[in-house]
Amino acid sequence: MTIINCSNGENGVDASFELAEKTKEEANVYFKNQDYQQAIELYTKAIDLNGSSAIYYANRSFAYLKTECFGYAVLDATRAIEIDKNNVKGYYRRASAYMALNKPKLALRDYELVTRFRPNDKDAKIKYDECSKIVKRQAFEKAISVDSLQRSVADSIDLDTIVVEDSYDGPRIAEEGITPKFMEDLMKHFKEQKRLHRRYAYKILLDIKEYFMAKPSLIDVSIPESSKFTVCGDIHGQFYDLLNIFDLNGVPSESNPYLFNGDFVDRGSFSVECIFVLFGFKLLYPDHFFMARGNHESKTMNQMYGFEGEVKAKYNAQMAELFTEVYNWLPLCHCLNGRVLVMHGGLFSKDGVKLDDIRKIDRNRQPPDEGIMCELLWSDPQPQPGRSPSKRGVGCQFGPDVTTQFLDDNSLDCIIRSHEVKAEGYEVTHDGKCITVFSAPNYCDSMGNKGAFITMNGKDMKPSFTTFEAVAHPPVGAMAYANSIMNFFM
């Protein structure tokens, strides 16, 4: 608890409390205007003035949820509950954060308490019931899973048995495979809100899985001196913004190579369209189009944030399982001209990690809760030196000294990562050695941020940034296919 200076007597304490309340109200305004970072700063100021208010901690916890700082959200919600054991919002916030961290058992305890406090709250009852189902489902899946004996979904699919109806008017994959014309037709087809026939959808997934299985966890990319190379960050199912990137920067080709740095799906409600276009270009230009795994290319995230629900709605459950198999084989990072390392999340909780350590990672699995693979997908930079526990509750936060040491150990110039929303779509930190790029503008149809992509040439590898605003999309909002329990507005 913050100790308040009482040198001015009782009136001084009252003045501090009054100022704290005024600051909280100001923070609420910023929160309503979706300026969550400013809201967090003001809630923090209010807490400094009056650390005994459960409401301030509960409100800041909500703002942390909005910025995906789930670890911090848990801490603040817990503090609110410690101050006031009857603070229902604290239990709500903590339960939401636990769900985001894939800890449904812990969330269930909090939802149960909420239902006790509010027995007539229908939303609380729905969340409790849904969380209970998730806990039971995960227990069942764990009980029946035997990884060494589990048959691959890919092995059970026979394309020859999938008939393409005469009425289908969409793009078709010919015997020669994917062509530029197919990709052009596919993007037009998707833009018109039509679906790729499941025969061709399955073929893309089977072919891309076979391709990625033969590749290492770290991909070395050679960029000729005179060539342009583009790095994009999170897309998150924002298909129409993906098309806008291609309008601004040109469609992928052998002379216009791209790297998409993870989180292709979830949240945005056109994730199926995004992933098939990206996989299609990868198959068309395997040596000039690259994809890295993000923290959202995982089964648990897809179950919660919408991709699994979207695949089931547009295709079927079998295809959702096949996507999980494919994602397990996505490379974890790329090294550009031996100078720039690109990963989705960030660096590590321990010094001494070498590129060869990354190459040796057995990535064919769901992301673990700790270790090099986890941190590549989840970690974030921080401005201060050293390391800190992750604001997300997974991975770690690393300072400029950690970045410098890693680069020196591996003879690299800088790292490029994604994973975080940035107001301008990108951010350069750690004395220019750590660059964040995020390519989903107006993230979740609510954040108001710009998107960005990076271009560089092989000669000097200096990054150039292009920013862009969100474009209109059909009236299907973000999180339309997400699990209902992921509503953070309670």
Side-chain angles (χ1 to χ4, degrees), residues 217-218 261-263 292-295 331-334 341-349 353-355 357-361 363 367-368 370-380 394-396 398 406 415-419:
S217 293
L218 188 157
N261 195 30
D263 281 13
R293 190 175 189 175
N295 63 302
L332 300 176
C333 56
H334 294 75
L341 190 68
V342 187
M343 77 288 286
H344 180 74
L347 297 181
F348 312 105
S349 56
V353 175
K354 298 294 183 68
L355 296 187
D357 296 321
I358 299 173
R359 291 188 177 96
K360 295 174 184 176
I361 294 174
R363 70 185 187 280
E370 59 184 9
I372 293 176
M373 180 174 171
C374 168
E375 290 157 357
L376 282 169
L377 300 178
W378 279 98
S379 291
D380 296 291
V394 187
C396 73
F398 58 96
F406 175 79
I415 63 169
I416 295 175
R417 40 91 62 184
S418 302
H419 195 39

Side-chain angles (χ1 to χ4, degrees), residues 55 58 84-93 110-128 489-490:
I55 293 173
D84 177 8
K85 292 183 179 180
N86 297 319
N87 188 279
V88 178
K89 287 185 177 180
Y91 293 108
Y92 253 127
R93 306 292 186 253
D110 285 336
Y111 283 132
E112 183 178 8
L113 287 169
V114 172
T115 58
R116 289 182 186 177
F117 284 121
R118 295 181 177 176
N120 297 322
D121 188 328
K122 293 182 179 179
D123 183 80
K125 183 64 166 59
I126 290 171
K127 283 183 167 61
Y128 173 79
F489 293 90
M490 292 302 298

Side-chain angles (χ1 to χ4, degrees), residues 27-36 39 43 59 62-63 66:
N28 288 347
V29 173
Y30 279 102
F31 186 95
K32 290 177 182 177
N33 292 331
Q34 300 175 346
D35 188 344
Y36 303 119
Y43 288 135
N59 285 5
F62 199 3
K66 292 292 189 179

Side-chain angles (χ1 to χ4, degrees), residues 152-453:
S152 167
V153 176
D155 293 339
S156 67
I157 297 168
D158 183 358
L159 292 177
D160 292 335
T161 65
I162 303 176
V163 177
V164 180
E165 300 80 5
D166 292 339
S167 59
Y168 175 69
D169 63 352
R172 299 170 182 248
I173 301 176
E175 288 186 10
E176 65 268 27
I178 289 176
T179 63
K181 180 65 165 59
F182 172 84
M183 292 306 303
E184 179 183 347
D185 291 344
L186 180 64
M187 288 186 288
K188 182 176 182 293
H189 193 69
F190 282 156
K191 191 173 183 179
E192 295 171 351
Q193 301 182 66
K194 298 178 181 179
R195 295 178 192 170
L196 178 66
H197 194 280
R198 62 190 182 94
R199 176 188 175 99
Y200 306 121
Y202 273 122
K203 179 168 176 54
I204 288 174
L205 291 176
L206 294 174
D207 288 351
I208 202 71
K209 182 187 177 187
E210 183 178 358
Y211 175 86
F212 281 134
M213 286 175 66
K215 297 299 176 181
S217 293
L218 188 157
I219 305 293
D220 291 291
V221 180
S222 178
I223 307 170
E225 285 193 2
S226 59
S227 294
K228 180 183 81 170
F229 191 87
T230 301
V231 179
C232 295
D234 303 42
I235 296 298
H236 274 300
Q238 297 183 199
F239 175 68
Y240 294 85
D241 293 309
L242 173 61
L243 294 184
N244 188 40
I245 292 173
F246 294 155
D247 287 340
L248 294 170
N249 194 54
V251 296
S253 68
E254 291 183 354
S255 60
N256 191 27
Y258 278 83
L259 164 58
F260 280 83
N261 195 30
D263 281 13
F264 321 115
V265 300
D266 276 340
R267 294 192 179 274
S269 297
F270 304 93
S271 293
V272 164
E273 291 80 1
C274 284
I275 196 63
F276 279 128
V277 165
L278 295 175
F279 279 164
F281 275 121
K282 179 60 182 174
L283 290 170
L284 179 59
Y285 303 118
D287 298 324
H288 299 87
F289 191 92
F290 303 92
M291 299 174 68
R293 190 175 189 175
N295 63 302
H296 275 266
E297 278 69 59
S298 73
K299 183 177 179 65
T300 55
M301 300 297 277
N302 294 165
Q303 288 175 337
M304 302 307 300
Y305 288 95
F307 183 63
E308 182 180 284
E310 183 181 343
V311 175
K312 288 179 177 179
K314 295 178 178 179
Y315 291 98
N316 53 49
Q318 182 192 51
M319 187 177 289
E321 293 179 18
L322 180 55
F323 267 110
T324 297
E325 287 188 9
V326 174
Y327 289 160
N328 283 352
W329 286 106
L330 281 167
L332 300 176
C333 56
H334 294 75
C335 188
L336 311 182
N337 278 1
R339 297 173 59 181
V340 178
L341 190 68
V342 187
M343 77 288 286
H344 180 74
L347 297 181
F348 312 105
S349 56
K350 296 180 180 179
D351 288 331
V353 175
K354 298 294 183 68
L355 296 187
D356 279 344
D357 296 321
I358 299 173
R359 291 188 177 96
K360 295 174 184 176
I361 294 174
D362 177 13
R363 70 185 187 280
N364 180 27
R365 52 180 170 153
Q366 288 301 290
D369 294 331
E370 59 184 9
I372 293 176
M373 180 174 171
C374 168
E375 290 157 357
L376 282 169
L377 300 178
W378 279 98
S379 291
D380 296 291
Q382 64 181 23
Q384 68 271 26
R387 295 178 173 88
S388 301
S390 172
K391 61 188 178 183
R392 300 175 188 269
V394 187
C396 73
Q397 292 178 197
F398 58 96
D401 55 328
V402 175
T403 299
T404 297
Q405 185 64 55
F406 175 79
L407 297 176
D408 289 347
D409 287 347
N410 291 281
S411 301
L412 297 167
D413 295 344
C414 71
I415 63 169
I416 295 175
R417 40 91 62 184
S418 302
H419 195 39
E420 287 184 287
V421 183
K422 298 297 176 182
E424 294 300 312
Y426 73 95
E427 185 178 59
V428 181
T429 57
H430 295 184
D431 299 319
K433 297 176 181 179
C434 178
I435 300 169
T436 298
V437 60
F438 192 86
S439 303
N442 195 27
Y443 179 49
C444 286
D445 292 333
S446 64
M447 296 297 287
N449 60 291
K450 294 179 182 178
F453 55 82

